[in-house]
Amino acid sequence: MGQRGGPDNRGARGATGPERTFVRVLPLLLLVVGVLYDAATPPEFTAAPLFTAAPLIAAPFYSLLNTVLTGAAATCAVLVLHYGNSVGAHVEAVTEVLTVATVAALAIVINRVVRRGNDRLAIARSISEATQRAVLPAPDPRIGGLDIAARYEAAQADAFIGGDLYAVQDTPHGVRLIVGDVRGKGMGAVAAVAVVIGAFREAAEQEASLEAVAQRLERALAREGTRRDGLDAFEGFTTAVLAEIRHGEGSVRLINRGHPPPLLLRGDGRLCVMSASEPALPLGMGDLGFWPDRADESEFPPGATLLLYTDGLSEARDAEGEFYDPAARLGGRIFPGRGGPHALLAALAGEVRRHTGGAMTDDMALLAVRRPVAGDPEVTTGD
């Protein structure tokens, strides 16, 4: 996205493969077909519509120079063809030449407008990327002796961050993690994400228990709610799962605040859905009632991978409306080695795209944590 290409590269961003090639050659094809048609038909037949269309199609996809050249070629073609037909002085011929020349000039204006819009989009995308790196930095691949991978898939094209969040923090109390989903969209959701992650990182370092971390997040969202006007002040909330993996212990402690349950994939392919023993309200809904947080503790053996995700994964639908079921899809599969978390998330992202036909309706945040086993080979990870 940092390339300084012209609109011929950026305007066709949505097209790929044969479609992109066709769009790029279409103006030239129209000129060639127009010349052949005009040469093969009687003088009263005209190919002016084809010559008029060529610069208009070139405008949003070609560079400024190529748009000018296309318009000039179309205008010259009309002039030469009418001159060859010995009708250069006829009113119809003059009208056609002026029409093609006028459209060519308008195509140049359109090209400039599209180019400025693409430049603004490129700047917005750069800001979005910088925001993501600041708010949701990619965690190190190894934290506190654990193999870590995170992935964020935005549903909206050219968007990089929304209301989903994740964070990993190595603390004196163990490695603490959070995956959550903020109600709402747009910059308001991004601001809430920043509040939740900031509060989590501070509380994860300072609080002795995972339950206390959850209560700190509750208070942080309550303070944020008092600063908001309208509906968000009363209905804003965040679903989240908090996890704690203590150093040197083979277990994981979880608090689930109204979020999809994590999955534990054992090294032999067995899968466990880690549902909460007691349902709890999402963060930010403390005004509706108070229930003390109680963490559930489960075994987390070597070679196992803990998968935390948002509902963009579990509620992804295909054309028939069927949900993607990560538990059913992952059962019996293994992702070994230090690259296992990355391979797992890459597989999930690819399967969801295929399941939805590329039409995701919600953002998706994924976080995978693996407890290594002795002798794990070094693996080069990638998507």
Side-chain angles (χ1 to χ4, degrees):
M1 67 172 288
Q3 296 176 347
R4 293 292 298 170
D8 53 327
N9 291 330
R10 293 176 290 178
R13 188 182 301 277
T16 58
E19 293 178 355
R20 181 177 298 175
T21 301
F22 177 74
V23 167
R24 288 178 175 175
V25 303
L26 184 56
L28 177 61
L29 182 63
L30 289 173
L31 293 177
V32 173
V33 172
V35 171
L36 295 176
Y37 176 85
D38 204 292
T41 56
E44 58 267 22
F45 292 89
T46 177
L50 299 178
F51 295 124
T52 302
L56 283 178
I57 295 175
F61 301 114
Y62 281 16
S63 66
L64 175 62
L65 175 61
N66 288 335
T67 301
V68 172
L69 292 177
T70 302
T75 304
C76 290
V78 175
L79 280 170
V80 171
L81 289 170
H82 280 305
Y83 181 80
N85 290 330
S86 300
V87 292
H90 289 184
V91 174
E92 294 84 355
V94 174
T95 301
E96 288 184 8
V97 171
L98 290 176
T99 298
V100 174
T102 301
V103 171
L106 289 175
I108 295 173
V109 175
I110 293 172
N111 177 274
R112 299 304 299 161
V113 172
V114 171
R115 187 181 185 112
R116 291 193 186 99
N118 286 332
D119 287 341
R120 294 190 187 99
L121 176 60
I123 294 172
R125 295 179 78 242
S126 298
I127 294 172
S128 181
E129 286 189 41
T131 302
Q132 184 186 41
R133 287 193 295 268
V135 177
L136 293 180
D140 293 334
R142 197 165 179 84
I143 298 176
L146 302 170
D147 299 321
I148 308 286
R151 191 177 186 114
Y152 194 103
E153 296 281 334
Q156 184 179 356
D158 294 321
F160 289 85
I161 186 172
D164 291 9
L165 62 97
Y166 60 77
V168 184
Q169 190 90 352
D170 190 9
T171 75
H173 316 288
V175 177
R176 287 175 169 172
L177 315 96
I178 184 173
V179 166
D181 187 355
V182 173
R183 173 192 172 276
K185 301 291 183 182
M187 292 307 298
V190 175
V193 166
V195 170
V196 172
I197 290 181
F200 169 77
R201 293 196 180 280
E202 180 181 12
E205 288 284 344
Q206 298 176 353
E207 299 294 345
S209 70
L210 193 62
E211 292 84 350
V213 174
Q215 289 304 309
R216 282 277 289 271
L217 296 181
E218 183 73 46
R219 293 192 294 271
L221 282 174
R223 289 193 301 270
E224 177 69 9
T226 61
R227 291 194 291 267
R228 295 191 181 190
D229 296 326
L231 185 65
D232 281 345
F234 300 97
E235 296 187 12
F237 62 86
T238 300
T239 67
V241 170
L242 291 86
E244 178 182 86
I245 305 169
R246 293 175 179 172
H247 301 302
E249 296 185 12
S251 63
V252 57
R253 303 180 75 243
L254 297 169
I255 290 178
N256 192 323
R257 285 297 203 97
H259 199 76
L263 303 178
L264 184 68
L265 290 73
R266 296 179 180 270
D268 58 5
R270 288 181 295 161
L271 183 143
C272 176
V273 179
M274 308 184 76
S275 301
S277 59
E278 296 184 18
L281 291 174
L283 297 168
M285 299 184 70
D287 290 344
L288 300 181
F290 176 78
W291 292 268
D293 289 296
R294 292 187 178 87
D296 294 317
E297 188 164 353
S298 303
E299 184 184 9
F300 188 25
T305 301
L306 178 68
L307 173 65
L308 299 93
Y309 57 93
T310 58
D311 59 10
L313 175 68
S314 56
E315 295 184 3
R317 302 189 187 205
D318 62 11
E320 286 72 38
E322 181 181 351
F323 289 114
Y324 179 89
D325 187 349
R329 299 295 187 98
L330 293 175
R333 299 167 65 179
I334 60 173
F335 299 88
R338 292 189 176 180
H342 289 271
L344 168 61
L345 301 193
L348 285 172
E351 290 178 11
V352 169
R353 282 194 294 268
R354 289 190 293 272
H355 183 77
T356 61
M360 294 174 57
T361 58
D362 196 3
D363 294 354
M364 178 175 67
L366 306 171
L367 182 62
V369 184
R370 179 178 178 271
R371 185 181 291 279
V373 297
D376 269 344
E378 292 289 345
V379 177
T380 301
T381 61
D383 296 341

